[in-house]
Amino acid sequence: MENCDWCNLSGEEKHFQVYESKSWSVFLSDEQDYIGRCILVLKRHCGSMSELIDDEWEELRNLVCKVEECLKTVLGATLCNWSCLMNDFYKDSAPDPHLHIHVRPRYDKPVILNGNIYTDNEFGHHYALNKSGDISSEDKEEVFIRLKEWLNR
Amino acid sequence: MENCDWCNLSGEEKHFQVYESKSWSVFLSDEQDYIGRCILVLKRHCGSMSELIDDEWEELRNLVCKVEECLKTVLGATLCNWSCLMNDFYKDSAPDPHLHIHVRPRYDKPVILNGNIYTDNEFGHHYALNKSGDISSEDKEEVFIRLKEWLNR
């Protein structure tokens, strides 16, 4: 779609793509409030899960399994929180949502990256909505490389 | 599983079942912070989406479509927020999660039930974590009957 930001991601935004399948792209999120947080974006412009076609639904299943295993293996996640919300699009007077799914890995132990310690203080509770996603660019790059290597191995 | 509350729901808890398929049950949530909020519970004890078998994944797709259409048609929902979190189980020293999925309908207009007005003040934003789910038993019963009738029509 011509005016959809998600259909027209810039090169910079695409830089953090860790994996792609036929129908989906997986990006490391800008927000790293939960280390390894990713977003699954359907390559086709489509507004809701109800409108997925057969192949896209089947691929989503494979991706859920693959990304969850990756986050557990590579970063030590205990579980993953999955959500498909799409609320931001509805701020617009003529909402035209583009399907995407968030995955936040949750940790019962701190994640250590380049000597920096990241703690999931809310473990066992709903993810925080206003948690700081501050992470050094070095640490983000480290997460990006680890996920990308594992997912494309 | 012998000790799993979700495998051993009481008659009272099952009262608010609005639909069941071969592998899944759909219940109207106790929390009605978003009117029509439901929970999809896998009938089998299984800890994550990654462990779903073929039929369960396919049925989930049908349920997502059916429940979303129901909430839009019956209650006027604008969209649905879907989430699979499972955090509460991880408060336990030996977590043994039982797969369930939350669906919160979101509304750009108030829902009116028996003359009572329910407003989605956060529309266009993430669902609130501490929103009051107060609803009269009469209004909850009204929602329950409407969803159950539509889903089983």
Side-chain angles (χ1 to χ4, degrees):
Chain A
M1 299 286 276
E2 205 175 326
N3 297 318
C4 173
D5 291 342
W6 297 74
C7 288
N8 299 287
L9 292 172
S10 69
E12 195 181 340
E13 288 162 326
K14 280 189 181 161
H15 170 72
F16 282 106
Q17 180 174 292
V18 288
Y19 186 73
E20 68 175 326
S21 66
K22 192 172 144 229
S23 313
W24 296 86
S25 292
V26 184
F27 298 96
L28 187 68
S29 291
D30 289 343
E31 294 154 280
Q32 287 296 301
D33 43 2
Y34 296 93
I35 299 298
R37 178 175 167 181
C38 287
I39 185 162
L40 281 57
V41 182
L42 191 69
K43 289 182 181 176
R44 174 175 74 87
H45 191 79
C46 166
S48 71
M49 283 205 293
S50 294
E51 295 160 74
L52 287 174
I53 63 170
D54 292 0
D55 280 0
E56 294 164 347
W57 183 252
E58 200 47 43
E59 267 184 48
L60 175 59
R61 180 188 183 184
N62 294 337
L63 276 183
V64 166
C65 296
K66 194 176 175 102
V67 171
E68 200 157 279
E69 192 185 346
C70 175
L71 293 166
K72 287 179 175 180
T73 307
V74 171
L75 295 171
T78 311
L79 74 153
C80 290
N81 288 173
W82 292 91
S83 61
C84 182
L85 305 176
M86 320 279 279
N87 297 306
D88 279 350
F89 292 99
Y90 289 83
K91 291 184 176 78
D92 203 288
S93 58
D96 187 16
H98 185 124
L99 186 60
H100 62 277
I101 293 170
H102 302 274
V103 53
R104 290 170 174 85
R106 305 298 305 270
Y107 300 93
D108 65 358
K109 293 184 185 64
V111 182
I112 299 170
L113 298 166
N114 302 309
N116 297 315
I117 299 172
Y118 297 93
T119 310
D120 182 347
N121 292 314
E122 304 77 38
F123 184 76
H125 299 268
H126 197 286
Y127 55 79
L129 300 186
N130 297 304
K131 187 181 171 81
S132 163
D134 287 350
I135 179 174
S136 72
S137 53
E138 185 192 8
D139 291 352
K140 188 178 175 190
E141 191 68 19
E142 168 84 17
V143 173
F144 171 65
I145 291 167
R146 282 201 217 171
L147 298 190
K148 189 172 178 178
E149 281 186 357
W150 194 94
L151 290 166
N152 296 281
R153 77 196 185 291
Chain B
M1 300 286 276
E2 205 176 327
N3 297 319
C4 173
D5 291 342
W6 297 75
C7 289
N8 298 287
L9 292 172
S10 70
E12 196 182 340
E13 288 161 328
K14 278 188 181 163
H15 171 71
F16 282 107
Q17 180 174 294
V18 288
Y19 187 71
E20 68 174 325
S21 65
K22 193 173 143 226
S23 313
W24 297 85
S25 292
V26 183
F27 298 95
L28 187 67
S29 291
D30 289 342
E31 294 154 279
Q32 287 295 299
D33 43 2
Y34 297 92
I35 300 297
R37 178 174 167 182
C38 287
I39 185 161
L40 281 56
V41 181
L42 190 69
K43 289 181 179 175
R44 174 175 74 87
H45 191 79
C46 165
S48 72
M49 285 207 292
S50 295
E51 295 159 74
L52 287 174
I53 63 170
D54 292 0
D55 281 0
E56 293 163 347
W57 183 251
E58 200 49 41
E59 268 185 48
L60 176 60
R61 181 187 183 185
N62 295 336
L63 276 183
V64 166
C65 296
K66 193 175 177 105
V67 171
E68 200 156 278
E69 192 185 346
C70 175
L71 293 167
K72 288 180 176 180
T73 307
V74 172
L75 295 170
T78 311
L79 74 152
C80 290
N81 288 173
W82 293 91
S83 61
C84 181
L85 305 175
M86 319 279 277
N87 295 307
D88 279 350
F89 292 99
Y90 289 84
K91 290 184 175 78
D92 204 288
S93 57
D96 187 16
H98 186 124
L99 186 60
H100 62 277
I101 294 170
H102 303 274
V103 53
R104 290 170 174 86
R106 304 300 303 270
Y107 300 93
D108 65 358
K109 292 183 186 64
V111 181
I112 300 170
L113 297 167
N114 302 310
N116 297 317
I117 299 172
Y118 297 92
T119 310
D120 182 348
N121 292 314
E122 305 77 39
F123 184 76
H125 298 268
H126 197 287
Y127 56 80
L129 300 186
N130 297 306
K131 188 180 172 79
S132 162
D134 287 350
I135 181 174
S136 72
S137 53
E138 186 192 7
D139 292 353
K140 187 178 176 189
E141 192 68 18
E142 168 84 17
V143 173
F144 170 65
I145 290 168
R146 283 202 217 171
L147 298 190
K148 189 172 178 177
E149 280 186 359
W150 194 95
L151 289 166
N152 296 282
R153 77 198 186 291

